């Protein structure tokens, strides 16, 4: 079977625009959760989120979208597509892959997804329709909102004519996109794939919807920085985030032949379904366990070979401990040898983009031999005893193999096993 490696990385998150600043801020324990000021949340219980900041708000790491996209282009796409294009540009440039021949273009594909897609555009267009009628609707409304148009836009921009696909599996989207893309390469349907996820659901209807589902934190509106606190006794829900993460995946021999920089290898991929509830994970954690077990089996490794787990860890009262029990079942009596942390404590939960940015953080932990911290873990839940959850401070350690978990509404689970490139 063909081996799949990572040759390009790109990301735009609440922590900043670009891979380097993301990693620097993540490892130093920064948090990107702030009060929402750009739309009205006075009547919504949760008033905080991890949003993309402008360069005015964050001169070092903020986004000036005009540097990436022409104003005319911006008007024709939802923010999630804009974020995905920006991360894709970064990843493709980082990879150095610029196919010139029809053969190379035909063997390069795109698989980018989103959990919700153009929610903000749909909401604003609905208001416009109701107030001014159908003649005011933009002809770009539908293509600006469709989730698969992110893949389409990137494919068109670069002339990539290989598999053009998209994933929509709620909060597992980014991980599923990477896993599916790796299998496309493994089975020879492409040599190079641009894969990941994007989300821009930090808008009034998005916040109101998740608040109505009682999924969001609302006890820390006056102190946003400590609101996302996986495994802490005071956790009370997840914090919304937005942005994008994109990877360039490549068949190993193809990458070596062109002298590409290789970050890591996608060694294993596991999927499962809870078949339990539309929003809650199965109480036994069986679905998450089976996805992790499948990833380990696919990689032909032992669970004890895992040095670090980037957990789904959303900071919800039930979900955090259900996942930790599943991890305990996987690792058995070796739990103290594996470090586990949740980077959502720094970024918030990027929904469909989460699995992709967390895969990038997992890769960087291998490259730098450092495990990111779990911020705000100051009062651990009693069930966390014995687990190395890397509280507050990053940890230097040997990192050869990482498991990255993503679990979504509807009971859809994905696990990626990423290893060092040898």
């Amino acid at each position: 079977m063909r081996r799949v490696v990572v040759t390009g990385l790109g990301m735009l998150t609440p922590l900043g625009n670009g891979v380097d600043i993301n990693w620097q801020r993540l490892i130093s324990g920064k948090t990107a959760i702030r009060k929402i000021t750009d739309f009205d949340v006075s009547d919504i219980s949760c008033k905080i989120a991890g949003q993309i900041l402008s360069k005015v708000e964050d001169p070092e790491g903020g986004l000036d979208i005009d540097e990436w996209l022409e104003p005319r282009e911006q008007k024709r796409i939802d923010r999630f597509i804009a974020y995905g294009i920006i991360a894709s540009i970064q990843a493709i440039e980082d990879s150095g892959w610029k196919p010139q021949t029809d053969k190379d273009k035909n063997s390069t594909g795109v698989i980018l997804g989103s959990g919700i897609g153009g929610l903000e555009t749909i909401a604003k267009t609905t208001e416009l329709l109701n107030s001014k009628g159908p003649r005011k609707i933009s002809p770009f409304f539908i293509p600006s909102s469709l989730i698969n148009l992110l893949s389409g836009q990137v494919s068109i921009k670069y002339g990539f004519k290989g598999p053009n696909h998209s994933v929509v599996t709620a909060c597992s989207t980014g991980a599923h996109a990477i896993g599916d893309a790796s299998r496309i390469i493994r089975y020879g349907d492409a040599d190079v794939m641009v894969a990941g996820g994007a989300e821009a659901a930090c808008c009034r209807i998005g916040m109101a919807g998740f608040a109505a589902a009682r999924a969001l934190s609302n006890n820390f509106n006056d102190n946003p920085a400590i609101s996302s606190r996986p495994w802490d006794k005071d956790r009370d829900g997840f914090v919304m985030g937005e942005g994008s993460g994109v990877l360039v995946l490549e068949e190993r021999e193809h990458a070596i032949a062109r002298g590409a920089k290789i970050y890591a290898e996608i060694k294993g991929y596991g999927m499962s379904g809870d078949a339990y509830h539309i929003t809650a994970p199965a109480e036994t954690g069986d679905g998450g366990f089976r996805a992790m077990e499948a990833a380990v089996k696919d990689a032909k490794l032992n669970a004890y070979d895992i040095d670090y787990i980037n957990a789904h860890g959303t900071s919800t009262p039930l979900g955090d401990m259900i996942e930790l029990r599943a991890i305990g079942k996987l690792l058995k009596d070796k739990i103290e040898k594996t470090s586990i942390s949740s980077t959502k404590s720094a970024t918030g939960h990027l929904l469909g983009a989460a699995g992709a940015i967390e895969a990038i953080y997992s890769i960087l932990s291998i490259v730098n031999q450092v495990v990111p911290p779990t911020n705000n873990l100051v009062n651990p839940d009693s069930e966390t005893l014995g687990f190395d959850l890397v509280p507050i401070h990053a940890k230097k350690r040997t990192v050869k193999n990482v498991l990255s978990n993503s679990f979504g509404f509807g009971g859809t689970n994905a696990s990626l096993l990423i290893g060092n490139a040898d």
Side-chain angles (χ1 to χ4, degrees):
M1 190 72 71
R2 291 166 26 126
R3 294 168 66 180
V4 182
V5 296
V6 181
T7 58
L9 303 174
M11 65 196 314
L12 170 64
T13 83
L15 279 175
N17 181 22
V19 171
D20 290 343
I21 195 161
N22 259 273
W23 184 247
Q24 293 165 12
R25 289 178 171 179
L26 180 71
I27 291 304
S28 63
K30 301 291 185 184
T31 181
I33 314 302
R34 300 170 179 85
K35 290 185 178 181
I36 296 170
T37 58
D38 57 342
F39 59 88
D40 182 21
V41 288
S42 61
D43 53 353
I44 299 174
S45 59
C46 180
K47 307 178 190 303
I48 56 177
Q51 294 180 280
I52 301 300
L53 298 183
S54 69
K55 278 197 170 179
V56 173
E57 298 166 301
D58 179 6
E60 184 183 4
L63 172 67
D64 180 351
I65 196 168
D66 292 335
E67 294 179 354
W68 300 87
L69 300 169
E70 295 292 335
R72 184 180 180 186
E73 186 179 5
Q74 295 172 38
K75 293 177 181 178
R76 296 180 175 183
I77 55 177
D78 185 86
R79 285 190 301 123
F80 90 94
I81 294 179
Y83 294 165
I85 291 174
I86 290 167
S88 295
I89 292 171
Q90 293 176 14
I92 293 165
E93 288 296 315
D94 184 42
S95 75
W97 176 238
K98 298 178 181 179
Q100 301 298 316
T101 67
D102 285 341
K103 181 179 180 293
D104 285 342
K105 290 178 181 178
N106 292 344
S107 67
T108 304
V110 185
I111 180 167
L112 299 167
S114 179
I116 297 179
L119 186 64
E120 185 175 40
T121 294
I122 293 169
K124 289 181 176 179
T125 304
T126 300
E127 292 175 0
L128 183 63
L129 173 66
N130 291 336
S131 63
K132 296 188 177 181
R135 291 183 179 274
K136 294 295 183 180
I137 304 303
S138 168
F140 296 99
F141 163 57
I142 296 298
S144 72
S145 307
L146 290 175
I147 288 173
N148 76 295
L149 258 292
L150 171 52
S151 290
Q153 290 277 5
V154 173
S155 172
I156 293 166
K157 180 178 179 66
Y158 287 97
F160 296 158
K161 297 181 179 181
N164 183 337
H165 192 27
S166 193
V167 175
V168 186
T169 49
C171 304
S172 296
T173 296
H176 273 139
I178 295 166
D180 291 352
S182 72
R183 289 191 172 172
I184 287 171
I185 295 173
R186 278 198 204 181
Y187 285 100
D189 292 323
D191 292 325
V192 181
M193 291 293 295
V194 179
E199 205 75 82
C202 289
C203 57
R204 184 162 163 77
I205 192 170
M207 293 297 298
F210 279 103
R214 298 183 179 179
L216 301 179
S217 170
N218 53 40
N219 287 340
F220 300 94
N221 288 327
D222 294 329
N223 195 352
I226 65 170
S227 57
S228 186
R229 44 195 317 112
W231 302 299
D232 190 271
K233 286 182 180 179
D234 295 323
R235 67 191 185 278
D236 71 322
F238 77 80
V239 181
M240 286 272 278
E242 61 183 3
S244 180
V246 176
L247 290 71
V248 174
L249 307 184
E250 192 165 345
E251 193 272 324
R252 183 173 179 269
E253 296 308 313
H254 185 277
I256 291 173
R258 70 179 185 89
K261 169 179 74 266
I262 296 175
Y263 287 101
E265 180 176 354
I266 306 298
K267 292 186 174 181
Y269 173 39
M271 299 176 282
S272 72
D274 286 353
Y276 176 72
H277 190 271
I278 59 172
T279 58
E283 295 176 359
T284 62
D286 175 67
F289 168 76
R290 286 185 291 108
M292 290 186 282
E293 185 180 50
V296 173
K297 181 180 179 181
D298 187 40
K300 296 180 174 57
L301 294 173
N302 190 297
Y304 305 152
D305 294 321
I306 301 168
D307 301 299
Y308 168 53
I309 297 176
N310 188 298
H312 185 58
T314 60
S315 191
T316 57
L318 292 177
D320 286 6
M321 296 317 304
I322 289 172
E323 180 183 12
L324 202 60
R325 290 178 206 131
I327 290 172
K329 183 179 178 181
L330 180 77
L331 299 177
K332 298 179 181 176
D333 60 345
K334 305 292 184 180
I335 60 172
E336 76 284 352
K337 293 188 176 181
T338 301
S339 297
I340 306 162
S341 71
S342 172
T343 50
K344 290 184 179 72
S345 61
T347 64
H349 188 0
L350 272 67
L351 308 181
I357 70 157
E358 289 157 15
I360 293 173
Y361 290 150
S362 298
I363 290 165
L364 294 174
S365 72
I366 295 171
V367 171
N368 295 285
Q369 297 291 285
V370 176
V371 172
T374 302
N375 294 346
N376 304 315
L377 182 53
V378 295
N379 191 16
D381 192 294
S382 59
E383 287 190 60
T384 64
L385 185 65
F387 289 93
D388 174 18
L389 299 179
V390 199
I392 313 301
H393 301 292
K395 180 177 183 177
K396 292 184 178 181
R397 61 158 294 164
T398 299
V399 186
K400 294 182 179 179
N401 296 298
V402 178
L403 196 66
S404 184
N405 287 338
S406 294
F407 310 139
F409 280 4
T412 176
N413 309 303
S415 291
L416 296 169
L417 206 159
I418 304 169
N420 62 332
D422 49 22

